[in-house]
Amino acid sequence: MTPEDVAEYALSLPEATENEPSRTMQLYKTGGKIFAVLTPATAARPDEVALKCDPGLALHLREQYPAVRPGRYGPRHLWNTVILDGTVPDEELTDMIDHSWHRTVDQLPKADRERLRGLWPGRAAGPGR
């Protein structure tokens, strides 16, 4: 997936919004909380996206894909940074984005949680997660 694909997919999730606090990153939020941080390439690093992740799953994904690394933002055990170099299959990356969205929703107040989950019927915890 390209950074544009990631942005488009993230914005397709229920009540997702985009915020560009600087030219060096784009934040994707739901319920006012961040679920993805997209960082465009610079001379020093490639395009990447940081996503919330269950700690056990985070370790598994890091072992499975060299392009998945400990998070650059937030607690490293709760976030993965995915290098957008094409080595992580698109379906896996969309699953990671879904999982991050769900992890974020899980941290919201009960009324917000229930409302957002209701906007995504049949996918209570993200695919296969």
Side-chain angles (χ1 to χ4, degrees), residues 39-126:
T39 308
T42 66
R45 92 176 161 263
D47 295 311
E48 59 188 32
V49 63
L51 301 165
K52 286 185 180 179
C53 195
D54 171 79
L57 178 59
L59 291 174
H60 170 74
L61 291 168
R62 292 173 199 166
E63 291 171 359
Q64 189 172 1
Y65 300 105
V68 178
R69 301 178 180 162
R72 181 182 306 274
Y73 307 102
R76 295 171 65 86
H77 69 286
L78 299 176
W79 286 81
N80 275 339
T81 295
V82 182
I83 307 303
L84 300 177
D85 62 3
T87 61
V88 176
D90 290 357
E91 184 176 334
E92 184 69 47
L93 187 51
T94 58
D95 284 353
M96 288 184 214
I97 296 167
D98 292 348
H99 178 74
S100 184
W101 183 91
H102 282 285
R103 297 262 315 165
T104 302
V105 168
D106 289 347
Q107 297 170 349
L108 296 174
K110 184 177 180 179
D112 293 332
R113 232 182 6 247
E114 290 176 357
R115 179 178 51 76
L116 285 166
R117 287 178 181 160
L119 295 173
W120 199 345
R123 297 192 70 181

